[in-house]
Amino acid sequence: MRKKKVPIEIATGCAVGAANGLLGGGGGMLCVPLLEKALKEDVKVSHATTVLVILPVCIASAIVYWTSGKFEFTANLPVIFGVVAGGAIGSVLLKVMRGKFVAVIFAVLMIIAGIRMAF
């Protein structure tokens, strides 16, 4: 039964990686719903897995951006520090929050982001 999911997992990974490389981190917004809907993962598992799979993709994308002169590491240190601290806090909160509440928060953030991007 496991082997039947592998093509879907590979396709999901390709879509997430392409979105992340193209949008500079947008892969996470795509990864969560794909894990939940296409792979039938639990809400909390989807969010935790997204963090894990996005890390190497973000590192690879950052290297490409940095080597092409599109990213200044030292100028962004405060943001990097904030993201790391926020990520640690968020992962602790994920452990204690209900999956349904996490899904609602994610949906609201996606709607807000979509509206902001449209205008």
Side-chain angles (χ1 to χ4, degrees):
M1 178 117 180
R2 169 79 178 113
K3 288 183 180 182
K4 291 182 180 182
K5 287 176 77 174
V6 171
I8 297 170
E9 291 169 338
I10 291 171
T12 297
C14 288
V16 169
N20 199 78
L22 178 66
L23 304 174
M29 293 181 84
L30 182 62
C31 191
V32 170
L34 283 174
L35 287 172
E36 287 179 27
K37 305 302 182 205
L39 298 174
K40 309 293 187 224
E41 293 290 349
D42 175 71
V43 171
K44 287 185 173 187
V45 170
S46 297
H47 286 270
T49 302
T50 295
V51 171
L52 181 63
V53 300
I54 289 300
L55 176 62
V57 174
C58 286
I59 290 170
S61 298
I63 290 168
V64 171
Y65 291 138
W66 190 13
T67 58
S68 65
K70 306 242 186 295
F71 178 77
E72 292 184 38
F73 185 78
T74 55
N76 291 294
L77 279 176
V79 174
I80 294 167
F81 175 77
V83 168
V84 170
I89 293 167
S91 62
V92 169
L93 290 174
L94 182 63
K95 289 181 189 178
V96 298
M97 288 183 169
R98 289 185 179 176
K100 191 70 168 172
F101 187 65
V102 173
V104 169
I105 291 171
F106 184 73
V108 168
L109 288 175
M110 287 200 44
I111 290 167
I112 291 169
I115 291 170
R116 290 201 54 167
M117 294 292 287
F119 301 102

